[in-house]
Amino acid sequence: MRYPLACPDITESEIDAVVSVLKTPHLSLGPKLPEFEQKFAAYCGARHAIAVSSGTTGLHLIVRSIGIGPGDEVITTPFSFVASANAVLYEQGRPVFVDIDRNTWNIDESRIASAITTRTKAVLAVDVFGMPADYDRIRGVAEPRGLRVIEDSCEALGSRCRGRMAGMLAEAGVFGFYPNKQLTTGEGGMIVTDDDHLARLCKSMRNQGRDTDGGWLAHPRMGYNYRLSDINCALGIAQLDRIEQLLAVRRRTAGWYREELGDDRRVRFQAIRDGVDMSWFVLVVCLTDEYTVDDRDRILTGLRDRGIGCSNYFAAIHLQPYMMELFGLKRGDFPVCESVADRTVALPFQKNLARGDVATICHEFRQLL
Ligand SMILES: *Cc1c(COP(=O)(O)O)cnc(C)c1O
């Protein structure tokens, strides 16, 4: 590929940080773990940050900690990475999908109330592509009914909503550090919360159910090995040290794409709500309704033939084979989500792109439209 879709931003400082951990005896549960957690908590303005092995395992721990169990319903979005719905399945809960807003591509807050039943326990919203969902509205519906609210902020590190950091807009948030995310540790994740009880449970369960003041073989509760090694934590610290730089490159590149494509009537960008300061995860445009899914797929193939990395982003969760089978879901159930999912095109979005590269990519893209 002439222009890969994504590429991690790694410098000598990350390489040195990882190598220096390898020269110590503390490859896991060493000093880099609390250092990463403390720095991350400070960045997000959280009382607690708990490092975990992935965004997915972080979501699982939150779902389990708030007591989601067999048959419990969790309202969530079908337009997300599958992990947000799977976290509910891991505890035998039922993800109840609510269609999305056609402009923000986040869960349509106005439809949440009508999806609530006597079995509903929580709302798990997703900050799609970095754009925080409207938690004021979600909490307004959820809290009077005693529902818990969870934020999947895996794609939104560094986004702010009226000055508050993404991840801190609900009871607990979670970030993912896979190589295409704003910050990477190779694999990894981080739970953030102000809730002491939730934090204690998550911390214990990521480490085999141990308590911090107990012994190595004392397990007051069932847990998992969802730890993040000191090697990964050192990489995360080095990335966090230059997070403003990492985010600025993304912001600048997104600005170039908006200059190139912002006035083109054949595509639309995700609407950014008032008060949101956006941290860009991917560069996704949505073709207008005149285009079919076949048109979109033809465009993706054409881009790849020209050496331009691209993808559809996301595929609707409710149309994944196992989801259809488990819950009897089908095409037509969430028409707004399907309409967006059928028309998205993610374009190359990484630090190696210069202004001229974005112009070239957009020129080729327009020719295929
Ligand atoms: C990346 C991502 C996750 C999961 O993160 P992993 O670290 O890959 O497990 C969860 N939800 C969303 C919306 C994501 O984009």
PDB file of all heavy atoms in Angstrom, residues 167-192:
ATOM      1  N   GLY A 167     -14.454   9.599  28.717  1.00  0.00           N
ATOM      2  CA  GLY A 167     -14.103   8.557  29.678  1.00  0.00           C
ATOM      3  C   GLY A 167     -14.648   8.896  31.050  1.00  0.00           C
ATOM      4  O   GLY A 167     -14.906   8.006  31.860  1.00  0.00           O
ATOM      5  N   MET A 168     -14.830  10.207  31.300  1.00  0.00           N
ATOM      6  CA  MET A 168     -15.298  10.681  32.610  1.00  0.00           C
ATOM      7  C   MET A 168     -16.723  11.231  32.522  1.00  0.00           C
ATOM      8  O   MET A 168     -17.161  11.956  33.395  1.00  0.00           O
ATOM      9  CB  MET A 168     -14.361  11.779  33.132  1.00  0.00           C
ATOM     10  CG  MET A 168     -12.943  11.317  33.367  1.00  0.00           C
ATOM     11  SD  MET A 168     -12.854   9.887  34.466  1.00  0.00           S
ATOM     12  CE  MET A 168     -13.511  10.608  35.978  1.00  0.00           C
ATOM     13  N   LEU A 169     -17.429  10.882  31.448  1.00  0.00           N
ATOM     14  CA  LEU A 169     -18.744  11.476  31.232  1.00  0.00           C
ATOM     15  C   LEU A 169     -19.867  10.600  31.793  1.00  0.00           C
ATOM     16  O   LEU A 169     -21.026  11.003  31.815  1.00  0.00           O
ATOM     17  CB  LEU A 169     -18.959  11.743  29.734  1.00  0.00           C
ATOM     18  CG  LEU A 169     -17.866  12.635  29.099  1.00  0.00           C
ATOM     19  CD1 LEU A 169     -18.025  12.671  27.580  1.00  0.00           C
ATOM     20  CD2 LEU A 169     -17.914  14.048  29.668  1.00  0.00           C
ATOM     21  N   ALA A 170     -19.508   9.381  32.239  1.00  0.00           N
ATOM     22  CA  ALA A 170     -20.500   8.478  32.849  1.00  0.00           C
ATOM     23  C   ALA A 170     -19.899   7.932  34.144  1.00  0.00           C
ATOM     24  O   ALA A 170     -18.965   8.514  34.680  1.00  0.00           O
ATOM     25  CB  ALA A 170     -20.852   7.370  31.873  1.00  0.00           C
ATOM     26  N   GLU A 171     -20.420   6.805  34.655  1.00  0.00           N
ATOM     27  CA  GLU A 171     -19.896   6.277  35.924  1.00  0.00           C
ATOM     28  C   GLU A 171     -18.494   5.704  35.759  1.00  0.00           C
ATOM     29  O   GLU A 171     -17.683   5.744  36.691  1.00  0.00           O
ATOM     30  CB  GLU A 171     -20.806   5.167  36.436  1.00  0.00           C
ATOM     31  CG  GLU A 171     -22.127   5.669  36.921  1.00  0.00           C
ATOM     32  CD  GLU A 171     -22.973   4.512  37.388  1.00  0.00           C
ATOM     33  OE1 GLU A 171     -22.580   3.815  38.337  1.00  0.00           O
ATOM     34  OE2 GLU A 171     -24.030   4.292  36.778  1.00  0.00           O
ATOM     35  N   ALA A 172     -18.255   5.110  34.608  1.00  0.00           N
ATOM     36  CA  ALA A 172     -16.937   4.553  34.326  1.00  0.00           C
ATOM     37  C   ALA A 172     -16.723   4.574  32.829  1.00  0.00           C
ATOM     38  O   ALA A 172     -17.671   4.402  32.057  1.00  0.00           O
ATOM     39  CB  ALA A 172     -16.819   3.122  34.855  1.00  0.00           C
ATOM     40  N   GLY A 173     -15.479   4.788  32.422  1.00  0.00           N
ATOM     41  CA  GLY A 173     -15.134   4.778  31.004  1.00  0.00           C
ATOM     42  C   GLY A 173     -13.990   3.814  30.777  1.00  0.00           C
ATOM     43  O   GLY A 173     -13.317   3.387  31.724  1.00  0.00           O
ATOM     44  N   VAL A 174     -13.785   3.467  29.514  1.00  0.00           N
ATOM     45  CA  VAL A 174     -12.676   2.563  29.208  1.00  0.00           C
ATOM     46  C   VAL A 174     -12.023   2.969  27.893  1.00  0.00           C
ATOM     47  O   VAL A 174     -12.696   3.389  26.950  1.00  0.00           O
ATOM     48  CB  VAL A 174     -13.147   1.086  29.185  1.00  0.00           C
ATOM     49  CG1 VAL A 174     -14.166   0.831  28.098  1.00  0.00           C
ATOM     50  CG2 VAL A 174     -11.967   0.136  29.033  1.00  0.00           C
ATOM     51  N   PHE A 175     -10.691   2.860  27.875  1.00  0.00           N
ATOM     52  CA  PHE A 175      -9.906   3.164  26.681  1.00  0.00           C
ATOM     53  C   PHE A 175      -9.231   1.893  26.181  1.00  0.00           C
ATOM     54  O   PHE A 175      -8.959   0.989  26.959  1.00  0.00           O
ATOM     55  CB  PHE A 175      -8.841   4.225  27.000  1.00  0.00           C
ATOM     56  CG  PHE A 175      -9.431   5.551  27.366  1.00  0.00           C
ATOM     57  CD1 PHE A 175      -9.629   5.898  28.695  1.00  0.00           C
ATOM     58  CD2 PHE A 175      -9.837   6.431  26.374  1.00  0.00           C
ATOM     59  CE1 PHE A 175     -10.207   7.116  29.033  1.00  0.00           C
ATOM     60  CE2 PHE A 175     -10.413   7.643  26.703  1.00  0.00           C
ATOM     61  CZ  PHE A 175     -10.600   7.983  28.031  1.00  0.00           C
ATOM     62  N   GLY A 176      -8.953   1.865  24.882  1.00  0.00           N
ATOM     63  CA  GLY A 176      -8.238   0.745  24.283  1.00  0.00           C
ATOM     64  C   GLY A 176      -6.948   1.269  23.673  1.00  0.00           C
ATOM     65  O   GLY A 176      -6.914   2.380  23.141  1.00  0.00           O
ATOM     66  N   PHE A 177      -5.901   0.455  23.736  1.00  0.00           N
ATOM     67  CA  PHE A 177      -4.579   0.892  23.257  1.00  0.00           C
ATOM     68  C   PHE A 177      -4.025   0.014  22.147  1.00  0.00           C
ATOM     69  O   PHE A 177      -2.812  -0.172  22.019  1.00  0.00           O
ATOM     70  CB  PHE A 177      -3.590   0.937  24.439  1.00  0.00           C
ATOM     71  CG  PHE A 177      -4.025   1.822  25.583  1.00  0.00           C
ATOM     72  CD1 PHE A 177      -3.796   1.429  26.899  1.00  0.00           C
ATOM     73  CD2 PHE A 177      -4.661   3.039  25.356  1.00  0.00           C
ATOM     74  CE1 PHE A 177      -4.183   2.236  27.965  1.00  0.00           C
ATOM     75  CE2 PHE A 177      -5.062   3.855  26.416  1.00  0.00           C
ATOM     76  CZ  PHE A 177      -4.818   3.450  27.726  1.00  0.00           C
ATOM     77  N   TYR A 178      -4.917  -0.549  21.346  1.00  0.00           N
ATOM     78  CA  TYR A 178      -4.513  -1.277  20.142  1.00  0.00           C
ATOM     79  C   TYR A 178      -3.742  -0.299  19.231  1.00  0.00           C
ATOM     80  O   TYR A 178      -3.941   0.910  19.321  1.00  0.00           O
ATOM     81  CB  TYR A 178      -5.783  -1.815  19.459  1.00  0.00           C
ATOM     82  CG  TYR A 178      -5.513  -2.699  18.278  1.00  0.00           C
ATOM     83  CD1 TYR A 178      -5.052  -3.998  18.467  1.00  0.00           C
ATOM     84  CD2 TYR A 178      -5.703  -2.240  16.976  1.00  0.00           C
ATOM     85  CE1 TYR A 178      -4.770  -4.799  17.381  1.00  0.00           C
ATOM     86  CE2 TYR A 178      -5.420  -3.041  15.886  1.00  0.00           C
ATOM     87  CZ  TYR A 178      -4.957  -4.323  16.090  1.00  0.00           C
ATOM     88  OH  TYR A 178      -4.668  -5.115  15.024  1.00  0.00           O
ATOM     89  N   PRO A 179      -2.853  -0.818  18.343  1.00  0.00           N
ATOM     90  CA  PRO A 179      -1.982   0.097  17.582  1.00  0.00           C
ATOM     91  C   PRO A 179      -2.663   1.181  16.734  1.00  0.00           C
ATOM     92  O   PRO A 179      -2.017   2.167  16.383  1.00  0.00           O
ATOM     93  CB  PRO A 179      -1.180  -0.861  16.689  1.00  0.00           C
ATOM     94  CG  PRO A 179      -1.123  -2.122  17.477  1.00  0.00           C
ATOM     95  CD  PRO A 179      -2.447  -2.224  18.175  1.00  0.00           C
ATOM     96  N   ASN A 180      -3.934   1.043  16.402  1.00  0.00           N
ATOM     97  CA  ASN A 180      -4.557   2.108  15.600  1.00  0.00           C
ATOM     98  C   ASN A 180      -5.184   3.208  16.455  1.00  0.00           C
ATOM     99  O   ASN A 180      -5.691   4.190  15.929  1.00  0.00           O
ATOM    100  CB  ASN A 180      -5.610   1.531  14.638  1.00  0.00           C
ATOM    101  CG  ASN A 180      -6.817   0.945  15.338  1.00  0.00           C
ATOM    102  OD1 ASN A 180      -6.794   0.682  16.534  1.00  0.00           O
ATOM    103  ND2 ASN A 180      -7.880   0.731  14.595  1.00  0.00           N
ATOM    104  N   LYS A 181      -5.144   3.059  17.785  1.00  0.00           N
ATOM    105  CA  LYS A 181      -5.785   4.062  18.648  1.00  0.00           C
ATOM    106  C   LYS A 181      -4.888   5.293  18.838  1.00  0.00           C
ATOM    107  O   LYS A 181      -3.699   5.259  18.511  1.00  0.00           O
ATOM    108  CB  LYS A 181      -6.116   3.432  20.005  1.00  0.00           C
ATOM    109  CG  LYS A 181      -6.995   2.178  19.902  1.00  0.00           C
ATOM    110  CD  LYS A 181      -8.477   2.488  19.877  1.00  0.00           C
ATOM    111  CE  LYS A 181      -9.254   1.401  19.205  1.00  0.00           C
ATOM    112  NZ  LYS A 181     -10.086   0.559  20.013  1.00  0.00           N
ATOM    113  N   GLN A 182      -5.454   6.343  19.431  1.00  0.00           N
ATOM    114  CA  GLN A 182      -4.703   7.596  19.612  1.00  0.00           C
ATOM    115  C   GLN A 182      -3.417   7.365  20.409  1.00  0.00           C
ATOM    116  O   GLN A 182      -2.416   8.049  20.202  1.00  0.00           O
ATOM    117  CB  GLN A 182      -5.570   8.641  20.339  1.00  0.00           C
ATOM    118  CG  GLN A 182      -6.651   9.288  19.483  1.00  0.00           C
ATOM    119  CD  GLN A 182      -7.982   8.575  19.559  1.00  0.00           C
ATOM    120  OE1 GLN A 182      -8.042   7.370  19.770  1.00  0.00           O
ATOM    121  NE2 GLN A 182      -9.063   9.308  19.376  1.00  0.00           N
ATOM    122  N   LEU A 183      -3.472   6.432  21.366  1.00  0.00           N
ATOM    123  CA  LEU A 183      -2.296   6.067  22.174  1.00  0.00           C
ATOM    124  C   LEU A 183      -2.217   4.552  22.129  1.00  0.00           C
ATOM    125  O   LEU A 183      -3.249   3.880  22.279  1.00  0.00           O
ATOM    126  CB  LEU A 183      -2.489   6.565  23.606  1.00  0.00           C
ATOM    127  CG  LEU A 183      -1.433   6.269  24.678  1.00  0.00           C
ATOM    128  CD1 LEU A 183      -1.535   7.303  25.802  1.00  0.00           C
ATOM    129  CD2 LEU A 183      -1.539   4.879  25.275  1.00  0.00           C
ATOM    130  N   THR A 184      -1.030   4.002  21.912  1.00  0.00           N
ATOM    131  CA  THR A 184      -0.937   2.546  21.869  1.00  0.00           C
ATOM    132  C   THR A 184       0.054   2.001  22.887  1.00  0.00           C
ATOM    133  O   THR A 184       1.049   2.653  23.233  1.00  0.00           O
ATOM    134  CB  THR A 184      -0.565   2.029  20.461  1.00  0.00           C
ATOM    135  OG1 THR A 184      -0.652   0.591  20.478  1.00  0.00           O
ATOM    136  CG2 THR A 184       0.835   2.436  20.047  1.00  0.00           C
ATOM    137  N   THR A 185      -0.272   0.790  23.368  1.00  0.00           N
ATOM    138  CA  THR A 185       0.689   0.026  24.169  1.00  0.00           C
ATOM    139  C   THR A 185       0.910  -1.339  23.495  1.00  0.00           C
ATOM    140  O   THR A 185       1.309  -2.292  24.154  1.00  0.00           O
ATOM    141  CB  THR A 185       0.179  -0.176  25.619  1.00  0.00           C
ATOM    142  OG1 THR A 185      -1.077  -0.875  25.587  1.00  0.00           O
ATOM    143  CG2 THR A 185      -0.021   1.146  26.332  1.00  0.00           C
ATOM    144  N   GLY A 186       0.624  -1.442  22.215  1.00  0.00           N
ATOM    145  CA  GLY A 186       0.631  -2.742  21.522  1.00  0.00           C
ATOM    146  C   GLY A 186      -0.740  -3.364  21.668  1.00  0.00           C
ATOM    147  O   GLY A 186      -1.558  -3.347  20.759  1.00  0.00           O
ATOM    148  N   GLU A 187      -0.992  -3.937  22.825  1.00  0.00           N
ATOM    149  CA  GLU A 187      -2.328  -4.280  23.292  1.00  0.00           C
ATOM    150  C   GLU A 187      -2.452  -3.657  24.668  1.00  0.00           C
ATOM    151  O   GLU A 187      -1.464  -3.532  25.381  1.00  0.00           O
ATOM    152  CB  GLU A 187      -2.527  -5.802  23.411  1.00  0.00           C
ATOM    153  CG  GLU A 187      -2.488  -6.572  22.110  1.00  0.00           C
ATOM    154  CD  GLU A 187      -3.782  -6.466  21.285  1.00  0.00           C
ATOM    155  OE1 GLU A 187      -4.716  -5.756  21.699  1.00  0.00           O
ATOM    156  OE2 GLU A 187      -3.815  -7.095  20.215  1.00  0.00           O
ATOM    157  N   GLY A 188      -3.653  -3.293  25.058  1.00  0.00           N
ATOM    158  CA  GLY A 188      -3.828  -2.743  26.396  1.00  0.00           C
ATOM    159  C   GLY A 188      -5.099  -1.944  26.494  1.00  0.00           C
ATOM    160  O   GLY A 188      -5.798  -1.730  25.488  1.00  0.00           O
ATOM    161  N   GLY A 189      -5.393  -1.521  27.712  1.00  0.00           N
ATOM    162  CA  GLY A 189      -6.575  -0.706  27.936  1.00  0.00           C
ATOM    163  C   GLY A 189      -6.516  -0.050  29.295  1.00  0.00           C
ATOM    164  O   GLY A 189      -5.587  -0.317  30.089  1.00  0.00           O
ATOM    165  N   MET A 190      -7.471   0.838  29.577  1.00  0.00           N
ATOM    166  CA  MET A 190      -7.496   1.544  30.867  1.00  0.00           C
ATOM    167  C   MET A 190      -8.941   1.859  31.235  1.00  0.00           C
ATOM    168  O   MET A 190      -9.688   2.405  30.427  1.00  0.00           O
ATOM    169  CB  MET A 190      -6.703   2.846  30.755  1.00  0.00           C
ATOM    170  CG  MET A 190      -6.443   3.559  32.071  1.00  0.00           C
ATOM    171  SD  MET A 190      -5.162   2.784  33.086  1.00  0.00           S
ATOM    172  CE  MET A 190      -3.667   3.420  32.328  1.00  0.00           C
ATOM    173  N   ILE A 191      -9.282   1.496  32.475  1.00  0.00           N
ATOM    174  CA  ILE A 191     -10.582   1.875  33.032  1.00  0.00           C
ATOM    175  C   ILE A 191     -10.370   3.166  33.809  1.00  0.00           C
ATOM    176  O   ILE A 191      -9.381   3.290  34.543  1.00  0.00           O
ATOM    177  CB  ILE A 191     -11.097   0.777  33.994  1.00  0.00           C
ATOM    178  CG1 ILE A 191     -11.362  -0.520  33.230  1.00  0.00           C
ATOM    179  CG2 ILE A 191     -12.342   1.235  34.752  1.00  0.00           C
ATOM    180  CD1 ILE A 191     -11.530  -1.739  34.123  1.00  0.00           C
ATOM    181  N   VAL A 192     -11.288   4.121  33.678  1.00  0.00           N
ATOM    182  CA  VAL A 192     -11.227   5.338  34.501  1.00  0.00           C
ATOM    183  C   VAL A 192     -12.570   5.528  35.190  1.00  0.00           C
ATOM    184  O   VAL A 192     -13.625   5.297  34.593  1.00  0.00           O
ATOM    185  CB  VAL A 192     -10.871   6.602  33.668  1.00  0.00           C
ATOM    186  CG1 VAL A 192      -9.416   6.575  33.237  1.00  0.00           C
ATOM    187  CG2 VAL A 192     -11.779   6.775  32.470  1.00  0.00           C
TER     188      VAL A 192
END
